[in-house]
Amino acid sequence: FPYTTLFRDRKSVVKGKSVEELVIINEIKKDKTLSLNELQHNIKIHNINISKSTLNNALHKNNFIYGKPSIKPILTENQKIKRLEWAHKYLNLDWQKVIYSDESTICKGLNGRYRWIDKNINDVELTTKHPLKRHCWGCINFNFSDIFIFDGIMDADMYLSILNNNLLKHYEDSLFFQHDNDPKHTAKKVVNWLTNLEIQFIDWPSNSPDLNPIENIWNIHKQKISKIKTKTTEEFETCIKNSWNSIDMSIIRSVINSMPHRLEELIKNNG
């Protein structure tokens, strides 16, 4: 039943909102994952035909933004100094020759999908207490990417096993290996293993996930997973692998090519 027929005057205002705005807000509240194209299609059944730019303006006017909260680490003054020193040290590094690595946990149904967020309320998503989840190690380079699913709590021994089986098949003498300074990464046995195999690795400043381009790829990966329904653990794991492998290399190369800009911004902001 078209909302607009409830009002004699299409320009009627309810609590400062036009009829069109009320319809738009109602549709978004029913499904906050709608794209502007989908929203534009949905409101046509209510005899409303407006452009996507007008839709976007109406949503922003009513305190809706599209996205998810950005993550920015809280840095100590010492960490800022170390980040600044690190940026100057690696300012001229060829970042296309780096293998970026990281671990992430993928939770079924809880992967930070993009949607419209109503800033007028405490707009959160409820979760189950123990969702299905899988731990993953991933790496990206200008010419390749890889992902490995593992069980249990990772320690230095498990980490070495993952590197032995997943890093060595990609590593070449011209490349550099990157991982953060998590204790299992900096354990003596891991450092010795890297050194003995003559793997070039770069140090990484503390509390700096914002500098690692693989974080952008994890976000894209989780967005893809959030749109796919799976029933079994096996389906979920297959989804994790397939979603990772479906990320186009042009996207990976783009985030890697952002590294010089990241360092320039870090230096500009003094850490």
Side-chain angles (χ1 to χ4, degrees):
F1 187 71
Y3 285 87
T4 51
T5 62
L6 298 177
F7 299 87
R8 293 179 62 187
D9 181 2
R10 286 287 301 273
K11 300 299 181 182
S12 294
V13 174
V14 179
K15 295 184 179 179
K17 295 177 174 59
S18 68
V19 174
E20 287 83 359
E21 286 177 309
L22 291 172
V23 174
I24 293 167
I25 292 169
N26 184 73
E27 289 296 321
I28 283 296
K29 286 185 175 181
K30 287 194 295 185
D31 184 357
K32 291 176 182 174
T33 66
L34 289 175
S35 66
L36 288 176
N37 281 331
E38 292 168 330
L39 179 58
Q40 189 179 44
H41 176 267
N42 286 5
I43 64 176
K44 282 183 179 180
I45 65 172
H46 305 298
N47 301 319
I48 297 176
N49 292 283
I50 56 179
S51 68
K52 286 184 287 186
S53 62
T54 302
L55 274 176
N56 194 51
N57 290 337
L59 287 164
H60 280 276
K61 174 186 174 183
N62 287 281
N63 287 320
F64 283 89
I65 59 172
Y66 192 72
K68 65 176 185 176
S70 59
I71 298 174
K72 186 175 181 179
I74 299 175
L75 300 167
T76 66
E77 287 304 313
N78 185 58
Q79 287 173 337
K80 290 180 181 179
I81 292 172
K82 294 295 184 182
R83 279 162 60 97
L84 195 57
E85 293 173 349
W86 175 86
H88 284 292
K89 178 180 178 180
Y90 290 109
L91 191 59
N92 297 316
L93 182 69
D94 184 351
W95 293 101
Q96 293 183 3
K97 292 185 176 180
V98 176
I99 301 174
Y100 305 86
S101 71
D102 191 26
E103 296 86 44
S104 186
T105 298
I106 313 294
C107 296
K108 184 178 179 181
L110 298 174
N111 294 307
R113 64 179 179 175
Y114 282 79
R115 64 173 179 81
W116 290 98
I117 303 166
D118 186 351
K119 296 176 69 176
N120 299 296
I121 62 172
N122 184 24
D123 193 1
V124 300
E125 291 192 7
L126 301 178
T127 69
T128 57
K129 188 174 182 179
H130 301 292
L132 176 63
K133 62 183 179 182
R134 282 294 178 266
H135 305 299
C136 302
W137 176 88
C139 72
I140 60 170
N141 173 263
F142 202 72
N143 295 309
F144 59 81
S145 71
D146 204 354
I147 191 169
F148 176 76
I149 300 172
F150 63 92
D151 292 319
I153 299 174
M154 180 186 285
D155 56 14
D157 290 323
M158 181 185 289
Y159 186 56
L160 276 178
S161 176
I162 290 174
L163 295 184
N164 191 60
N165 293 317
N166 298 278
L167 173 63
L168 292 185
K169 63 184 178 182
H170 296 296
Y171 184 78
E172 298 176 358
D173 290 343
S174 62
L175 300 178
F176 295 85
F177 176 59
Q178 177 277 335
H179 57 186
D180 61 31
N181 56 6
D182 184 284
K184 57 182 171 286
H185 299 164
T186 58
K188 186 176 181 180
K189 61 176 64 179
V190 174
V191 174
N192 289 342
W193 182 85
L194 293 169
T195 303
N196 291 337
L197 290 176
E198 299 183 341
I199 294 176
Q200 302 180 92
F201 58 96
I202 61 177
D203 54 287
W204 204 255
S206 298
N207 203 16
S208 300
D210 57 312
L211 298 177
N212 195 343
I214 200 173
E215 296 293 339
N216 301 89
I217 302 304
W218 283 128
N219 287 337
I220 294 170
H221 181 226
K222 292 175 181 179
Q223 290 301 314
K224 286 177 172 286
I225 292 172
S226 71
K227 298 176 181 179
I228 301 173
K229 293 182 179 181
T230 58
K231 295 180 180 179
T232 67
T233 300
E234 291 73 20
E235 288 180 353
F236 186 49
E237 291 185 354
T238 298
C239 175
I240 290 173
K241 294 175 183 177
N242 290 344
S243 296
W244 180 272
N245 293 329
S246 71
I247 299 174
D248 195 273
M249 280 305 303
S250 63
I251 296 174
I252 294 175
R253 288 171 177 165
S254 177
V255 297
I256 289 174
N257 283 336
S258 72
M259 283 302 296
H261 177 70
R262 296 182 194 218
L263 269 69
E264 290 169 3
E265 286 296 305
L266 191 158
I267 293 171
K268 177 182 176 182
N269 295 316
N270 292 315

